[in-house]
Amino acid sequence: MSEFRCGRNLELRSCHMLPLPPIGTSCCYNGANTRATNGLAEELGCVVIAPDTFRGTTTTFIPKAIWLALSTPQDRVNDDLDSICSYVESGMILPDSSTTALRPSGSGVAKANQSSPNKSKMRCKFAILGFCYGGGKAIRYTTQRRRDAATVVFYGMLVTDTQELQNLEAPVCGIYGRNDVQFPIPLLEEFQNALTKAQVEKDVKIYEGVGHAFWKNMEGVRHGNQPQQQALQQCTTFLRKFFDSDN
């Protein structure tokens, strides 16, 4: 697990994002995604934590990457994220350094330091964000365990069961490409309709001319590449509204 923080009003905002890694990465994001995660922390002025849901396993061999994605159980991911959320809420925020690596150990997550936690429990607002594999894990975590957390899904496996989505108490942001063969338009429409029926606040957009995994790095955004820049703006606007709300 890696943590990224920005120094602006952290104690005041007490906001935390937990992005889940895309297929094929190790406990710390690869270089491009590390910069993207750090960029989100800077943009939003919050702590961003990148958990290692593969628990140290990494590969560049696509068949193994697919196997990892398919074989990593949701319950284990949920347990790891529960541990991280509880750790953050305890007041034992990671040391103020650029990156600290942690890995889940047993049923929990190894602590970053041994300092005493704050006596009072922090009031935290969480957002769970994931790309591809991580997007599917994110929305299943919020529907199954962390109902008060906002969810951001970048082209991840959908939940279309209205009854499951009714568990959510926070909004959902969905970002997809029209040419994504994994998620055809009828399925995306079913997802949006299910969110509407479940009365979940949503911001779901389908971007023209792109397929799966179109948002790859911050460099493209800084160069004004579209729709990457639009997708980042959608994501950050959604999260800023959630973090700044009184709910």
Side-chain angles (χ1 to χ4, degrees):
M1 181 179 76
S2 301
E3 182 213 31
F4 305 86
R5 66 170 65 216
C6 173
R8 292 177 295 166
N9 300 324
L10 284 178
E11 295 301 324
L12 179 64
R13 295 177 65 109
S14 294
C15 318
H16 302 81
M17 290 173 56
L18 303 180
L20 298 172
I23 282 180
T25 57
S26 61
C27 65
C28 299
Y29 275 41
N30 60 30
N33 284 302
T34 296
R35 290 189 291 274
T37 306
N38 197 39
L40 286 170
E42 293 174 354
E43 177 73 20
L44 295 165
C46 66
V47 175
V48 179
I49 298 172
D52 172 17
T53 60
F54 293 154
R55 295 191 171 187
T57 302
T58 182
T59 184
T60 58
F61 184 50
I62 296 300
K64 184 176 180 180
I66 294 172
W67 177 83
L68 282 171
L70 294 176
S71 63
T72 300
Q74 183 68 45
D75 284 345
R76 194 185 79 182
V77 173
N78 290 351
D79 290 343
D80 288 346
L81 293 180
D82 277 346
S83 295
I84 295 168
C85 290
S86 296
Y87 177 64
V88 171
E89 289 174 319
S90 74
M92 292 184 67
I93 303 300
L94 304 186
D96 204 358
S97 57
S98 58
T99 304
T100 301
L102 293 175
R103 288 183 182 173
S105 175
S107 60
V109 176
K111 287 181 171 52
N113 57 36
Q114 300 300 321
S115 61
S116 299
N118 297 336
K119 296 296 183 181
S120 59
K121 188 175 181 180
M122 292 180 64
R123 182 182 180 276
C124 300
K125 296 184 77 172
F126 289 94
I128 317 298
L129 179 153
F131 296 81
C132 188
Y133 152 86
K137 294 299 186 188
I139 195 167
R140 282 159 180 79
Y141 175 65
T142 52
T143 54
Q144 296 172 15
R145 299 280 186 93
R146 192 82 198 196
R147 302 177 180 186
D148 61 339
T151 311
V152 181
V153 183
F154 277 81
Y155 33 80
M157 187 65 68
L158 302 163
V159 172
T160 56
D161 185 288
T162 302
Q163 190 170 355
E164 288 184 53
L165 293 171
Q166 285 175 336
N167 292 327
L168 295 172
E169 300 171 0
V172 171
C173 176
I175 296 170
Y176 291 84
R178 181 169 292 276
N179 300 338
D180 190 339
V181 296
Q182 294 187 45
F183 305 107
I185 296 302
L187 181 59
L188 295 175
E189 290 176 345
E190 183 182 356
F191 175 54
Q192 295 186 75
N193 291 336
L195 287 168
T196 299
K197 290 179 182 178
Q199 297 184 325
V200 175
E201 182 183 347
K202 66 182 185 301
D203 180 11
V204 179
K205 288 191 172 79
I206 303 170
Y207 290 92
E208 299 290 337
V210 291
H212 194 71
F214 69 88
W215 200 93
K216 292 181 173 63
N217 54 57
M218 292 296 290
E219 284 72 19
V221 171
R222 294 190 181 103
H223 284 95
N225 293 352
Q226 301 296 352
Q228 291 92 329
Q229 191 176 62
Q230 292 172 310
L232 177 63
Q233 184 176 6
Q234 178 192 349
C235 171
T236 54
T237 299
F238 169 86
L239 289 169
R240 191 173 288 107
K241 178 182 177 182
F242 171 71
F243 283 145
D244 289 344
S245 69
D246 295 329
N247 296 330

